Amino acid sequence: MSQATAAPVTTGPDGMETVESFRLRARAWLAENMPRLPEATDDVAPEGDDDAAWVRARELQRTLWDGGFAGICYPKQYGGLGLSEAHQHAFTEESLPYEMPLLLNVPTLSICAPVILDMGTEEQKLEHLPKVLRGDEVLVQFLSEPSGGSDLAGLITRADRDGDVFRINGAKTWSTSAYAADFGLCLTRTDATVPKHRGLTMFLIPTKAPGITMRRITQVNGSTEFCEEFFDDLVVPASSVVGEVNGGWTVGSRQLFHERTAVGGGSPYVSGQGARSAGTAKLDLAELARETGQGDDPRVKELVGEAYAQEKVQEALIGRIVSAVEKGQFPGPSASIIRLFHAETDQQHVDYEVAIAGSAAVTGPAGQRSAGYAGQHYLMRQGASLGGGSTEMARNIISERILGMPREHAADRDVPFNEVKRGR
Ligand SMILES: Cc1cc2nc3c(=O)[nH]c(=O)nc-3n(C[C@H](O)[C@H](O)[C@H](O)COP(=O)(O)OP(=O)(O)OC[C@H]3O[C@@H](n4cnc5c(N)ncnc54)[C@H](O)[C@@H]3O)c2cc1C
């Protein structure tokens, strides 16, 4: 393995390596150490539910770590490089021709690890973050429950204190890739005698501990990357609390911020071109138009152009929102704007894939980068407006917390949780 230090390092007046120097070093290192992607691949099979793909992602992350290119925006004391988003951006641009551990981007690197970084104890940061950056630990989110995910603060999974430990009982669902993970951030209720937001606690729990039964959920497109978990007296030490006991809403809110930013495409912790998840690879609309003999059709050209323009607007919007939130010019909930725009853009793209593919969307071969895939991809269409919180909730946040419109009625506001009426 050649070391990243082989190429010269140029630093700026602030003592930090310049972006250009970092880019050149990354370019040379990537060429020598990361496997090139095949020239053209027809295979768009889901990666998220393939065990070998997870082993591969961990290996690739380890290669980045050994070469000194893991955790570009993570602080140095936890194994990162302590560099800026511009450095990460340069690395991502250089990494496009190479195989990268994209499966680790969401939620491990861009949601869960940043929550530990922002809200964890020093021991938790030192214990988990270097392992994450080395590819030794995969993290997931245990938030949604069978009773519903939008009203997150209304969750019913309990954690009861028992001396030095907590006992967790309840159920979580829709946990992306939990079967491949080592630890999960699990939001629980620790006090039901106070209003819902004030009695929650976040835990970082091992996914393979006795007391957890995990099952994989088969989706309509055949993917089994989602899991559901049942907790029966799962015992966890008090040291696994992230943040304060009964302060879980603060931690959960931070997690939702990172989630909306990641899903919206603006996380500084994502390395390489985005995330890879089951059945979500996009088709190139211009190629699809040519493949189906419609390259000169004005109606089709209009669809291709419109989708391209929307993606360009999305890129610009992400840049604008992320930098404004960073500078404190926009409030944190603004991450919901890019999360909402992601769903609109993604769903428009899928709709145009089907519109251009026509009947070939259902008759063509699936799992190939061709018209037949459009029908398969369409089955995942609604995921874009649910994963990372629904678009309805994003609209609520934008209207209430950014535009200052009146808050929607909530019958449980300021009512102790155990006095709130609930359906069975
Ligand atoms: C691709 C994907 C990945 C996911 N990964 C994870 C994961 O890793 N971990 C995890 O915990 N969860 C995960 N989820 C679950 C996701 O967070 C939930 O699906 C989402 O929060 C919505 O919750 P729900 O499905 O229970 O729908 P519900 O909360 O039951 O909502 C049903 C519908 O009612 C609407 N609705 C609800 N309340 C309101 C309101 N107040 N105003 C307006 N409309 C409302 C919703 O928008 C939705 O359309 C994932 C989901 C997807 C699709």
Side-chain angles (χ1 to χ4, degrees):
M1 172 89 35
S2 81
Q3 288 301 304
T5 46
V9 174
T10 312
T11 51
D14 55 1
M16 192 186 272
E17 181 174 8
T18 64
V19 175
E20 206 38 44
S21 158
F22 185 70
R23 179 189 289 279
L24 293 176
R25 248 178 359 100
R27 187 178 297 168
W29 181 85
L30 282 160
E32 244 179 86
N33 296 286
M34 289 304 263
R36 268 197 168 267
L37 285 171
E39 272 305 300
T41 173
D42 269 351
D43 182 14
V44 284
E47 274 196 359
D49 46 359
D50 174 353
D51 287 332
W54 283 98
V55 172
R56 181 71 176 151
R58 287 175 186 249
E59 280 169 9
L60 291 168
Q61 184 66 29
R62 179 65 195 227
T63 307
L64 291 176
W65 167 275
D66 288 342
F69 286 101
I72 291 169
C73 289
Y74 279 87
K76 283 186 182 168
Q77 66 265 41
Y78 307 121
L81 303 189
L83 294 173
S84 73
E85 220 172 317
H87 292 81
Q88 177 60 69
H89 193 66
F91 186 82
T92 288
E93 281 180 353
E94 295 299 325
S95 75
L96 296 183
Y98 302 96
E99 208 186 331
M100 286 281 290
L102 302 183
L103 280 174
L104 300 182
N105 274 339
V106 182
T108 299
L109 287 164
S110 59
I111 304 175
C112 301
V115 170
I116 298 173
L117 183 62
D118 294 348
M119 316 295 290
T121 60
E122 195 57 19
E123 289 73 27
Q124 286 167 341
K125 293 182 208 181
L126 290 168
E127 167 69 16
H128 294 282
L129 296 178
K131 287 185 186 161
V132 163
L133 298 181
R134 264 201 314 266
D136 290 342
E137 228 171 63
V138 173
L139 309 175
V140 280
Q141 311 194 77
F142 295 138
L143 298 175
S144 305
E145 300 194 352
S147 55
S150 298
D151 180 22
L152 184 59
L155 58 81
I156 53 178
T157 292
R158 282 181 10 229
D160 300 312
R161 185 131 211 176
D162 182 5
D164 288 343
V165 300
F166 285 83
R167 293 182 182 277
I168 301 182
N169 284 282
K172 296 283 175 181
T173 191
W174 310 129
S175 342
T176 308
S177 316
Y179 77 93
D182 304 288
F183 283 86
L185 282 168
C186 182
L187 194 57
T188 63
R189 184 159 308 281
T190 33
D191 188 354
T193 66
V194 292
K196 62 181 182 181
H197 293 94
R198 291 193 234 142
L200 300 170
T201 301
M202 184 73 80
F203 290 87
L204 184 61
I205 60 169
T207 57
K208 313 261 176 350
I212 303 182
T213 308
M214 189 181 288
R215 289 201 210 124
R216 292 173 76 166
I217 302 171
T218 305
Q219 293 177 73
V220 68
N221 69 347
S223 160
T224 55
E225 76 167 339
F226 276 134
C227 297
E228 57 184 348
E229 300 79 26
F230 301 91
F231 305 113
D232 295 295
D233 252 349
L234 167 67
V235 177
V236 291
S239 59
S240 58
V241 170
V242 180
E244 303 288 325
V245 173
N246 294 328
W249 188 247
T250 308
V251 186
S253 300
R254 194 65 193 155
Q255 188 165 338
L256 295 181
F257 165 76
H258 284 300
E259 183 176 48
R260 288 170 193 140
T261 308
V263 170
S267 172
Y269 303 113
V270 164
S271 201
Q273 187 77 304
R276 195 53 62 73
S277 172
T280 55
K282 284 182 180 177
L283 287 177
D284 181 317
L285 294 179
E287 259 178 42
L288 184 62
R290 280 191 288 275
E291 178 199 330
T292 52
Q294 304 173 91
D296 294 325
D297 182 323
R299 183 192 67 93
V300 170
K301 278 170 140 174
E302 208 169 291
L303 294 183
V304 174
E306 209 184 302
Y308 181 78
Q310 173 99 354
E311 275 161 26
K312 289 289 143 201
V313 171
Q314 183 183 23
E315 276 169 31
L317 187 69
I318 291 169
R320 165 122 176 79
I321 301 278
V322 170
S323 90
V325 170
E326 257 175 19
K327 290 181 195 144
Q329 293 164 340
F330 286 177
S334 307
S336 290
I337 299 173
I338 53 174
R339 186 270 164 276
L340 175 60
F341 205 80
H342 156 76
E344 302 277 314
T345 308
D346 219 58
Q347 293 187 336
Q348 182 197 58
H349 194 100
V350 182
D351 290 348
Y352 289 2
E353 283 179 9
V354 173
I356 296 170
S359 56
V362 282
T363 56
Q368 297 278 305
R369 193 168 285 283
S370 64
Y373 174 75
Q376 190 188 332
H377 192 193
Y378 192 79
L379 298 176
M380 282 300 286
R381 181 187 189 279
Q382 292 313 112
S385 56
L386 284 168
S390 75
T391 45
E392 287 81 7
M393 298 310 285
R395 286 180 206 278
N396 284 351
I397 292 167
I398 293 166
S399 60
E400 294 175 12
R401 291 165 60 193
I402 302 174
L403 302 177
M405 292 166 77
R407 291 183 73 174
E408 72 172 326
H409 172 72
D412 57 2
R413 186 162 296 141
D414 298 329
V415 179
F417 188 72
N418 56 9
E419 290 173 24
V420 174
K421 287 193 180 135
R422 266 191 308 278
R424 284 171 187 275

